[in-house]
Amino acid sequence: MKVINDFKDYEILDMANGQKLEKWGNIILSRPDPQIIWTDKNMAKWNEDAEYNRSSTGGGKWNIKENIPDSWIIEYKDLKFNLKLMGFKHTGLFPEQAFNWDLIREKIKESKKEIKVLNLFAYTGGASIAALKEGASVVHVDSSRGMIDWARVNVKINNLEDKPIRFLVDDVRKFVKREIRRGNKYDIIIMDPPSFGRGSKNEVWNIETDLNELIKDTTELLSDEPLLFIINSYTTGLSKTVLENILYLNIENKHHGKITSHELGLPMKDSKLILPCGDTARWESIK
């Protein structure tokens, strides 16, 4: 497991009874997490600014206990991110992905050449910001107009508006097929697919039936000397070995490199407890 220990603006303060108590900058939130199956009666002492409560009929809502801003900014190293309380418990950032942000930046630095990055299911743009910081050009694709707008804000607060990034509201599978026909190529490809979702025109996505075909298509977009192909997954039951297998079947016969996978985790403050936060797998070039 790769544990993120250097995210100064994010901490898990406590976790028990299906909830985690987190500090995001100066804001303390309580949110549900299905991995937290242990109990602790001291949870009643939590003093959060806002708590997300699930509904027995599905979904849920935020119970805001203290005045908090509509949005606020936190930092990871020299990267900045705009956060806000979203429906279905999200804040607009997955801090465990700092592992991949560092990796992307390292690969771009080492390359010493112009790098083209494709970020699919790109959300609010954490990986896009990391790539732009190192001088890469980025194509950022997501099916949600709201997420694209949010990513634009993140680019702005990092003072990267003059850097080469294209934002596209599109269904990822259709976009990839069009890029193949256009003959476009990328040195780094990142994808963070949901378990289920809908495209920009209500296209249905199911990771178990659609991921392999998407990766097969997307590998055709790799440049002649690619650097990196990353897949992230938060789908319960889809092991990191499955992700490795898909990368092996679709990339290994085309490009010389190595395949690695990790479970990602976030530590709890002053504790030995670690919260598992999904899996990441990657193919990367070998010098």
Side-chain angles (χ1 to χ4, degrees):
M1 173 180 278
K2 295 295 182 179
V3 179
I4 310 306
N5 289 304
D6 54 354
F7 205 133
K8 305 304 181 185
D9 270 3
Y10 176 84
E11 288 182 302
I12 296 179
L13 304 177
D14 200 358
M15 49 183 175
N17 308 335
Q19 294 279 125
K20 54 187 173 184
L21 187 69
E22 310 163 294
K23 187 175 182 182
W24 300 81
N26 295 320
I27 307 297
I28 297 177
L29 305 177
S30 171
R31 297 191 295 160
D33 192 296
Q35 300 280 5
I36 304 171
I37 63 172
W38 54 91
T39 59
D40 186 346
K41 62 183 179 182
N42 291 325
M43 180 176 165
K45 299 179 182 178
W46 287 6
N47 187 27
E48 63 271 22
D49 299 312
E51 178 183 8
Y52 187 89
N53 296 310
R54 288 193 183 279
S55 168
S56 59
T57 58
K61 65 178 183 178
W62 286 98
N63 176 20
I64 299 175
K65 302 180 180 180
E66 297 290 339
N67 289 327
I68 61 175
D70 292 335
S71 66
W72 68 101
I73 294 172
I74 68 168
E75 298 182 6
Y76 174 72
K77 298 181 178 178
D78 59 341
L79 307 180
K80 296 180 180 180
F81 302 101
N82 183 67
L83 305 184
K84 57 186 175 183
L85 303 184
M86 298 171 62
F88 197 63
K89 76 177 182 178
H90 291 173
T91 63
L93 193 69
F94 294 93
E96 65 276 4
Q97 285 301 320
F99 172 78
N100 282 321
W101 305 334
D102 289 345
L103 177 64
I104 291 163
R105 299 183 71 173
E106 178 184 342
K107 282 290 184 181
I108 295 171
K109 283 180 182 177
E110 289 177 351
S111 70
K112 294 183 169 63
K113 64 177 185 179
E114 292 185 3
I115 298 299
K116 292 179 65 178
V117 176
L118 176 60
N119 190 5
L120 302 173
F121 307 100
Y123 198 51
T124 60
S128 297
I129 301 299
L132 285 178
K133 273 284 189 178
E134 299 306 327
S137 63
V138 178
V139 174
H140 176 109
V141 185
D142 198 279
S143 64
S144 168
R145 171 69 65 182
M147 294 301 104
I148 293 288
D149 291 342
W150 198 332
R152 289 181 186 275
V153 171
N154 281 333
V155 168
K156 183 176 182 178
I157 64 176
N158 282 278
N159 298 314
L160 297 170
E161 298 128 295
D162 62 335
K163 302 302 180 182
I165 181 168
R166 290 177 61 213
F167 294 102
L168 296 167
V169 180
D170 207 342
D171 176 78
V172 163
R173 290 168 295 180
K174 292 181 178 179
F175 170 81
V176 167
K177 289 185 181 296
R178 288 198 301 274
E179 286 291 270
I180 293 171
R181 293 195 295 271
R182 294 172 183 136
N184 288 331
K185 300 291 182 179
Y186 299 89
D187 305 294
I188 295 176
I189 297 177
I190 308 144
M191 63 171 66
D192 199 346
S195 299
F196 299 94
R198 293 189 180 275
S200 58
K201 296 183 179 179
N202 217 32
E203 304 91 342
V204 177
W205 163 268
N206 183 328
I207 195 170
E208 294 181 358
T209 57
D210 297 329
L211 181 62
N212 183 71
E213 189 67 23
L214 174 62
I215 292 175
K216 181 180 178 181
D217 286 346
T218 307
T219 56
E220 295 188 39
L221 300 179
L222 288 170
S223 63
D224 292 338
E225 297 182 352
L227 298 180
L228 190 61
F229 193 116
I230 296 175
I231 314 170
N232 298 304
S233 173
Y234 293 89
T235 303
T236 303
L238 191 65
S239 101
K240 60 189 181 69
T241 303
V242 171
L243 302 180
E244 281 194 26
N245 290 344
I246 294 174
L247 289 176
Y248 173 78
L249 290 169
N250 289 293
I251 301 182
E252 190 68 16
N253 63 337
K254 300 177 183 178
H255 301 282
H256 178 61
K258 67 177 181 178
I259 295 171
T260 314
S261 67
H262 304 287
E263 186 179 19
L264 299 178
L266 293 167
M268 180 174 138
K269 183 180 180 181
D270 300 327
S271 170
K272 292 183 179 180
L273 296 182
I274 298 171
L275 179 66
C277 299
D279 297 319
T280 186
R282 69 183 183 272
W283 173 93
E284 59 189 307
S285 62
I286 299 176
K287 291 184 177 180

